[in-house]
Amino acid sequence: ETGVTQSPTHLIKTRGQQVTLRCSSQSGHNTVSWYQQALGQGPQFIFQYYREEENGRGNFPPRFSGLQFPNYSSELNVNALELDDSALYLCASSSTSGDRLTQYFGPGTRLLVL
Amino acid sequence: AQSVSQHNHHVILSEAASLELGCNYSYGGTVNLFWYVQYPGQHLQLLLKYFSGDPLVKGIKGFEAEFIKSKFSFNLRKPSVQWSDTAEYFCAVKLLSSSASKIIFGSGTRLSIRP
């Protein structure tokens, strides 16, 4: 157990719909990152939030957006869902100490888009 | 573009065999290096990490990895595997010129252990 929780565990949506995924960080962690893990692939970095502001983004379109709240919990929002958005979405929290980053991952939310 | 390569997609070993999983990255600057493990039905767990200093790092469950800077490699090793080591293993690299906590993952190596 890493102390990072995600909800829901599974979700089924249809093309064009919108989805919100949630993450609660490990206590004391002020940074949260979101990753997309397609079947048979490694996680791909979506974006990171530090103290409620986005401070890094991977190669994902603007329809992927997020929020971080004062209690450091976080949301990932995806608009206009496409079939290729079907994946495991991972949240990882960290407490950066200079460059010595260690991220702790949650169990993920499995999203299926039909 | 920066990338992380894990050349072995699926490795099958018998119990007690020695293990070495390859990981290479393409980035000329300073990096932090990680190996994560994903057991069936479970979430990603950190096996070990390298930040600086001794290039041979020891992790949990008897795993170790060696950073060879000249080869841009960070191979994972275990002298004697057990059936419970069956899992997916991911190498990951953090690029230290990046202000964000972006970690690039390899595509993973599936390890199957025959009892």
Side-chain angles (χ1 to χ4, degrees):
Chain A
E1 291 294 326
T2 62
V4 180
T5 60
Q6 293 185 242
S7 63
T9 55
H10 296 81
L11 201 52
I12 300 175
K13 292 284 189 178
T14 56
R15 277 172 51 185
Q17 285 189 310
Q18 179 266 341
V19 68
T20 297
L21 310 181
R22 294 178 174 84
C23 171
S24 291
S25 301
Q26 183 170 339
S27 177
H29 286 182
N30 56 16
T31 303
V32 65
S33 301
W34 284 90
Y35 292 82
Q36 180 194 67
Q37 186 178 15
L39 202 61
Q41 300 294 318
Q44 299 291 314
F45 176 71
I46 302 175
F47 45 58
Q48 177 193 263
Y49 279 79
Y50 172 69
R51 293 186 175 179
E52 302 175 56
E53 295 212 358
E54 183 182 303
N55 76 335
R57 192 176 183 91
N59 296 327
F60 282 81
R63 61 189 183 83
F64 285 77
S65 64
L67 284 173
Q68 186 183 31
F69 300 100
N71 65 355
Y72 302 134
S73 64
S74 174
E75 287 182 355
L76 164 66
N77 298 289
V78 187
N79 294 321
L81 283 167
E82 301 177 359
L83 297 180
D84 286 348
D85 295 334
S86 295
L88 180 68
Y89 288 85
L90 298 168
C91 164
S93 75
S94 58
S95 175
T96 55
S97 175
D99 291 331
R100 292 180 177 253
L101 164 78
T102 299
Q103 292 192 334
Y104 296 90
F105 284 82
T109 293
R110 190 164 297 281
L111 173 65
L112 178 61
V113 182
L114 301 175
Chain B
Q2 300 92 1
S3 65
V4 177
S5 298
Q6 292 182 246
H7 304 293
N8 309 107
H9 297 294
H10 189 192
V11 173
I12 303 174
L13 295 172
S14 298
E15 276 194 313
S18 64
L19 169 71
E20 181 160 2
L21 301 182
C23 173
N24 289 90
Y25 62 94
S26 61
Y27 180 67
T30 304
V31 295
N32 287 344
L33 299 160
F34 306 84
W35 274 97
Y36 284 87
V37 61
Q38 193 168 32
Y39 296 104
Q42 297 188 27
H43 56 273
L44 278 167
Q45 299 175 37
L46 182 67
L47 264 183
L48 48 77
K49 57 192 176 187
Y50 171 81
F51 292 141
S52 63
D54 189 345
L56 184 62
V57 293
K58 295 192 184 297
I60 61 172
K61 304 186 181 186
F63 286 91
E64 65 179 30
E66 184 175 13
F67 171 46
I68 303 179
K69 189 174 182 179
S70 61
K71 295 185 178 180
F72 300 93
S73 70
F74 190 55
N75 292 353
L76 181 70
R77 300 195 293 248
K78 185 171 184 178
S80 177
V81 296
Q82 301 171 306
W83 179 80
S84 58
D85 294 324
T86 296
E88 187 97 21
Y89 292 81
F90 294 95
C91 179
V93 176
K94 180 181 187 292
L95 315 176
L96 291 185
S97 68
S98 168
S99 59
S101 299
K102 176 179 178 178
I103 294 182
I104 302 174
F105 280 80
S107 58
T109 296
R110 184 156 63 99
L111 176 64
S112 299
I113 304 298
R114 292 190 291 248

